[in-house]
Amino acid sequence: MNLQNFEQKIPSTILQRGKQICENGQVLHVEENSDGLWTAEVEGTDVYSIEVVMEDSGEIETMFCDCPFDGDVCKHVVAVLLTLKGQKSAARGKSASKPKKLTFAELINRTSKTELQSFIEEYSKVNKDFRSHFELHFAHKDNRVDVEKGYMDLVKKTIRNYAHRGFFDYRSTNALAREIDSILVKSHECIRTNNFRDGLTIAKAVVVQVISDVIPSCDDSSGSIGATLTDAIGLMREALGSEICSRDLKENYFGFLNTELAKENYFNYGDFGNDLFELYRRLAVFLGKGQEFIRFADSQIWKEQKKSSDSYQQEFFIREKIHFFQETGDLKQAQEIALQNISIPRIREIVVDKAILNQDFALAKKWVNEGILIAEKARHPGTVSQWKRVLLKIAELEGDLGTVRQYTLYFAFDGSFNADYYRRWKKTFGSQEWENEYAKLIARITEGINKDAKKHQGQNWWSKEHNLLLILGPIYQEEEQWAELFGLVKAYPALHSLLHYMHYLAAGFGPEMTELIVPALIRSGEKASARSHYAQLVSEMKKVLKAIPESRGKIFEAVELLKSKYPLRPAMLDEFKKLK
């Protein structure tokens, strides 16, 4: 997408709204901050911040707006792009001798050292935030600066600036995340240059303050503050996992995590607490802090048991204990804990995996079948399927052909058609054997649907033809039995089905598919009542024209029919203009 053609790529409704914003003068300012980075503010329900990264050629690389719209491009971004397009057109019309405004980087390069020093001294007197940022950025030049306190205070103040009566709405959360991300840039820089102490200090300040003051009371439906927190935890993991990070620093952060993770709020929102606990476990393994780790893990398990006898968090801490013993080489203790908690599916997995690794398939199947019974009793079909996949894996390892066939067939038709399992099932047969098996499969499915049709006789919501297409259609597609597939599609000519199978049937049944698709498109056009519906109809017509070029005459006959039948639908007439 570029500045010259972006209007063709934007949905018409969004484009029109963007034009309206632009014409109303709601684009407050647009400025190029650095080469290719344009920032703007647009007035709407609130004042929204927009960023556009664009090459000199006009090619648009990225676009961002902090409004709540969850589509690809919002009306505010469109308004800014229209403004930029207008500015560039106006610039081309002016005299080439008029100098271009300097970018920020160019301005700095033209400023002398004395001028910069003078500005910094004067500006720091009137802007304490700037002074704090400056002092912390260059803290490595002054050992007297308390970096930890400085960053804790900076993050706290940043958070306070975006809180509204203790709550962070959608826009404030996004803006806060961007500002904290800018603070984390320094942490990235420190860790990249092996300054682990300062890098960890910054990440720690972000984790502590965001977990305690932001996460419990913010609208993070965009996931922006969650991503910021994940980045901070990732920085801690990277630094503390480095071989050249000092043991003293690792000891320090082991103690920090031991204290901090005792607070419940770390485990109340998302997996942030779990991510930090995994880091805590790795430090315990490296530092030989087994007693402290097990004591802490047991205290967390006990807390969870008081809340519920069966909780995800309790299971997590038990798994972490097992991982700890595995990583420290105490496999006997790991196995003992796993067997004590084998009723938990993910812990049962550990025991089953160990049995499979030891090629004790009989024991593995025993644990799996018990797991299936427990899951069926608890009405957890997903867990049942998970265990059946393990039985399939064991059968393949054992060379148990009958069980392999049983479960590959089961998973080929479990819910919706699965081509991968279907192919694996088919591979277990020779060519002659497969012909007989395939005929039996088709007969079995057809017989089952015919029986269901009798049960549902007189019920308009149930269709025999639809169910035949739903189940047999993917099989005929997989086997490339196009005549049989066309017969099913012809018996149930719903537009979505016709469009789905059109690409497979176009080569051999182009005219026949056109005769089915065109009436379906006309019916769709007659039912349409909004611009989005008409746009969808035109999109579908374009797909048909691409797949079946010979349908062109019939498609445009349908367009003329709809235009003559509904001359007072301007949105429909407007959308049809896009069909060429």
Side-chain angles (χ1 to χ4, degrees), residues 14 65-76 170 174 221-222:
I14 300 295
C65 177
D66 62 359
C67 75
F69 182 70
D70 61 357
D72 292 332
V73 184
C74 70
K75 59 187 178 183
H76 309 108
Y170 178 90
N174 282 314
S221 48
S222 69

Side-chain angles (χ1 to χ4, degrees), residues 12-24 27 74-80 82:
S12 57
T13 305
I14 300 295
L15 182 62
Q16 290 303 318
R17 290 173 182 170
K19 285 180 178 177
Q20 192 66 51
I21 288 172
C22 195
E23 290 167 5
N24 290 345
V27 180
C74 70
K75 59 187 178 183
H76 309 108
V77 167
V78 170
V80 171
L82 289 166

Side-chain angles (χ1 to χ4, degrees), residues 11-13 16 525 528-539 541 559 562-563 566-579:
S12 57
T13 305
Q16 290 303 318
S529 59
R531 182 178 287 274
S532 60
H533 300 162
Y534 304 132
Q536 178 66 26
L537 177 64
V538 169
S539 173
M541 287 177 167
V559 169
L562 289 168
K563 284 166 68 176
Y566 303 104
L568 300 180
R569 291 186 182 180
M572 182 185 73
L573 300 176
D574 189 39
E575 290 298 323
F576 277 149
K577 290 177 184 176
K578 299 175 184 178
L579 196 65

Side-chain angles (χ1 to χ4, degrees), residues 265-543:
N265 57 337
Y266 277 86
F267 301 99
N268 288 341
Y269 308 94
D271 288 330
F272 307 118
N274 290 1
D275 292 341
L276 287 167
F277 194 86
E278 287 176 4
L279 176 57
Y280 175 68
R281 185 197 81 228
R282 290 173 188 167
L283 287 172
V285 172
F286 177 82
L287 297 167
K289 300 277 190 180
Q291 288 186 347
E292 292 95 326
F293 175 79
I294 296 302
R295 184 163 56 247
F296 186 79
D298 285 340
S299 71
Q300 295 296 103
I301 293 168
W302 179 76
K303 281 182 189 177
E304 293 300 322
Q305 284 174 338
K306 284 179 69 178
K307 297 178 193 174
S308 168
S309 60
D310 180 21
S311 74
Y312 166 78
Q313 207 56 51
Q314 178 185 336
E315 175 192 327
F316 169 78
F317 291 123
I318 293 169
R319 281 190 285 113
E320 285 298 294
K321 278 182 67 177
I322 293 171
H323 290 320
F324 176 81
F325 285 118
Q326 287 175 331
E327 289 166 357
T328 53
D330 193 344
L331 301 182
K332 183 179 179 182
Q333 185 66 27
Q335 183 75 352
E336 186 177 319
I337 295 170
L339 289 172
Q340 288 169 357
N341 296 277
I342 200 165
S343 60
I344 300 172
R346 291 184 70 178
I347 292 176
R348 185 179 289 268
E349 280 180 40
I350 296 171
V351 177
V352 170
D353 288 345
K354 180 75 182 297
I356 292 173
L357 188 64
N358 293 335
Q359 295 191 340
D360 191 344
F361 299 127
L363 182 61
K365 285 189 282 188
K366 173 181 176 292
W367 295 130
V368 170
N369 285 316
E370 284 183 5
I372 289 174
L373 291 174
I374 293 169
E376 286 177 339
K377 188 175 180 181
R379 296 181 180 178
H380 293 161
T383 306
V384 172
S385 290
Q386 172 191 331
W387 287 129
K388 286 181 177 179
R389 285 187 175 88
V390 177
L391 288 177
L392 172 57
K393 176 184 174 182
I394 294 170
E396 288 174 331
L397 290 170
E398 288 185 304
D400 181 351
L401 185 61
T403 303
V404 169
R405 285 178 174 175
Q406 175 189 344
Y407 284 115
T408 49
L409 177 60
Y410 171 82
F411 286 118
F413 297 97
D414 181 28
S416 58
F417 179 74
N418 186 301
D420 178 57
Y421 281 109
Y422 179 84
R423 290 165 194 160
R424 286 165 67 181
W425 175 60
K426 181 178 178 179
K427 274 186 179 180
T428 65
F429 299 95
S431 57
Q432 186 61 45
E433 194 180 8
W434 169 245
E435 285 185 22
N436 296 330
E437 194 62 37
Y438 179 69
K440 286 193 286 184
L441 172 70
I442 300 300
R444 190 163 61 245
I445 291 171
T446 305
E447 184 183 351
I449 292 174
N450 285 333
K451 284 182 180 178
D452 286 341
K454 290 179 181 178
K455 292 178 188 175
H456 294 289
Q457 197 168 8
Q459 297 174 337
N460 294 331
W461 60 269
W462 198 91
S463 164
K464 171 185 169 181
E465 291 74 20
H466 176 233
N467 280 273
L468 284 169
L469 178 60
L470 195 66
I471 300 174
L472 291 179
I475 301 174
Y476 289 149
Q477 178 186 320
E478 178 67 23
E479 297 294 335
E480 298 185 0
Q481 291 189 286
W482 307 128
E484 289 81 356
L485 177 59
F486 176 73
L488 294 178
V489 170
K490 184 179 180 181
Y492 186 75
L495 182 57
H496 63 88
S497 300
L498 291 165
L499 294 174
H500 176 75
Y501 287 111
M502 168 178 68
H503 301 284
Y504 305 102
L505 296 170
F509 297 88
E512 294 88 345
M513 285 296 289
T514 301
E515 291 300 320
L516 295 174
I517 290 171
V518 170
L521 288 170
I522 293 171
R523 288 193 296 272
S524 179
E526 289 172 338
K527 292 177 182 177
S529 59
R531 182 178 287 274
S532 60
H533 300 162
Y534 304 132
Q536 178 66 26
L537 177 64
V538 169
S539 173
E540 289 163 350
M541 287 177 167
K542 287 179 179 178
K543 289 176 184 176

